[in-house]
Amino acid sequence: MERRNYTVHVFILVGFSTSPQLKYLLFVIFLFIFMISLLAHMFIILIYRFSPNLHTPMYFLLANFSILEIGYISTISPKMLINLVSQNTITFYECALQMSCYLLLASAECYMLAVIAYDRYNAICHPLLYNVLMRRIVCIRLVIGCWFVGLYVSILQPLLIFLLPFCKSNRINHFFCDITPLLSLACNNTQFNEIILLIMTVIVVVVPFMLTVISYANIMWTIINHHSAGTRKKAFSTCTSHFIVVAISYGAASIMYLRPRSSYGMNGEKFLSLLYAIIAPLMNPFIYSLRNNDVKNAVKKLKCEIAQDGG
């Protein structure tokens, strides 16, 4: 990528606060969240790998979702933690790489949530056809499709952003290299970039969100009409918790990227970014996997096998 038109070689990530005391407190909190998220997602991958009874379409998708989440949080959290306690600079190419990885994983994750909802829709609404509709090759193609969407966005958006000249300032008023704060530093007119961002947000956020809503709406309708009161209560509880996570992820991203640039205010945007970049990855393993009876039974079975081998 040609760099002779750029006047900024190093960016400063402003982050959250200039108060040293608050920075160290945030460091401890975010480090704890990062470690719990990382361990929870690694646990899901391992329990899927070593538990044959979990080798189903649902847990195949959840294991792949955890792989996405590990990459997602590892793209943002480590640099954010370093910036809280030491230098808060990031080079031009590091910033471009972080944005590319973030867009790749976040975009793929948006569609993966829709795929997981589609899997639950088939399991509940079409149980007799489930093994045909969600056979192995279909699941693999759906996962590849999610990565393909992410790859497309991760190439197009950073290319358009980092071809702009940055000469207003080198201070990114955010805790990672996101699209909107970088656009505010550009010297040129960014109207074209904003239009592309709007189109990409509709494709990556709005479309999978609508697919997810349709899947859960059909699930709820089927449960209401064809299941007992006890089953309905349990299903409503599960679907509600799933939809809360979905609403946080899609809702925060929609507000962040669909708002006009004139209404851009970084304090609110930092909070929204925290929701979908830090908090949602922490909640996802507990909402989607770790509460499931299948996972609990698989853990108990593995414990028994380990105890027997040890004996």
Side-chain angles (χ1 to χ4, degrees):
M1 188 182 296
E2 182 64 47
R3 285 196 56 185
R4 62 172 177 263
N5 294 327
Y6 296 98
T7 55
V8 174
H9 304 289
V10 177
F11 292 105
I12 297 174
L13 291 168
V14 173
F16 298 100
S17 172
T18 56
S19 168
Q21 293 80 7
L22 184 55
K23 280 189 174 183
Y24 286 116
L25 175 61
L26 290 175
F27 175 83
V28 173
I29 293 172
F30 291 141
L31 178 62
F32 177 77
I33 292 174
F34 174 62
M35 295 304 298
I36 294 298
S37 300
L38 196 62
L39 291 172
H41 286 294
M42 289 177 65
F43 176 78
I44 291 170
I45 296 169
L46 291 173
I47 200 70
Y48 169 77
R49 171 65 179 82
F50 294 106
S51 300
N53 62 306
L54 295 184
H55 290 178
T56 62
M58 174 184 175
Y59 290 101
F60 171 78
L61 295 174
L62 289 174
N64 277 276
F65 183 61
S66 287
I67 293 172
L68 272 174
E69 291 276 59
I70 288 173
Y72 185 43
I73 59 177
S74 298
T75 297
I76 296 174
S77 293
K79 184 62 178 177
M80 179 184 68
L81 291 169
I82 292 171
N83 290 343
L84 282 170
V85 294
S86 62
Q87 62 178 3
N88 58 345
T89 60
I90 185 169
T91 67
F92 177 89
Y93 289 117
E94 287 174 341
C95 190
L97 179 61
Q98 186 186 55
M99 180 183 288
S100 295
C101 292
Y102 158 70
L103 290 175
L104 166 64
L105 297 160
S107 302
E109 182 179 309
C110 285
Y111 272 89
M112 187 66 76
L113 285 170
V115 169
I116 292 171
Y118 174 68
D119 171 75
R120 293 299 80 209
Y121 160 75
N122 284 323
I124 295 172
C125 300
H126 304 290
L128 298 179
L129 296 174
Y130 178 71
N131 289 329
V132 176
L133 293 171
M134 297 303 295
R135 59 191 184 275
R136 183 79 172 182
I137 187 63
V138 173
C139 294
I140 293 172
R141 287 172 179 171
L142 288 171
V143 171
I144 292 173
C146 294
W147 281 99
F148 180 80
V149 172
L151 183 63
Y152 175 74
V153 176
S154 70
I155 294 173
L156 177 62
Q157 278 289 1
L159 183 64
L160 293 175
I161 296 294
F162 287 96
L163 284 177
L164 293 170
F166 300 105
C167 53
K168 290 183 179 179
S169 172
N170 70 334
R171 295 175 64 84
I172 301 174
N173 193 11
H174 213 332
F175 57 90
F176 70 98
C177 289
D178 202 0
I179 298 171
T180 318
L182 273 166
L183 284 178
S184 66
L185 303 182
C187 302
N188 289 358
N189 188 311
T190 60
Q191 185 175 5
F192 175 75
N193 298 79
E194 292 172 35
I195 293 172
I196 295 298
L197 176 59
L198 177 63
I199 295 171
M200 288 294 102
T201 303
V202 171
I203 294 172
V204 172
V205 179
V206 178
V207 170
F209 176 67
M210 295 305 299
L211 294 174
T212 304
V213 169
I214 292 170
S215 294
Y216 279 114
N218 280 281
I219 288 170
M220 301 303 282
W221 179 257
T222 301
I223 291 169
I224 290 171
N225 288 281
H226 302 286
H227 292 268
S228 64
T231 304
R232 282 201 298 266
K233 183 178 179 180
K234 181 180 178 181
F236 277 131
S237 175
T238 301
C239 288
T240 300
S241 60
H242 285 194
F243 202 75
I244 288 173
V245 175
V246 167
I248 290 174
S249 299
Y250 289 127
S254 297
I255 296 171
M256 181 74 180
Y257 297 115
L258 290 176
R259 293 174 65 181
R261 185 177 172 184
S262 58
S263 64
Y264 186 67
M266 270 318 304
N267 289 332
E269 271 66 18
K270 288 178 188 177
F271 174 73
L272 290 172
S273 297
L274 279 177
L275 286 179
Y276 65 77
I278 306 296
I279 304 302
L282 173 66
M283 297 172 61
N284 286 337
F286 297 96
I287 296 297
Y288 282 102
S289 302
L290 298 181
R291 299 191 312 160
N292 294 355
N293 289 328
D294 291 338
V295 173
K296 294 177 182 177
N297 293 333
V299 171
K300 292 177 183 178
K301 187 176 180 180
L302 280 177
K303 284 182 179 179
C304 292
E305 292 176 357
I306 293 171
Q308 290 175 358
D309 293 340

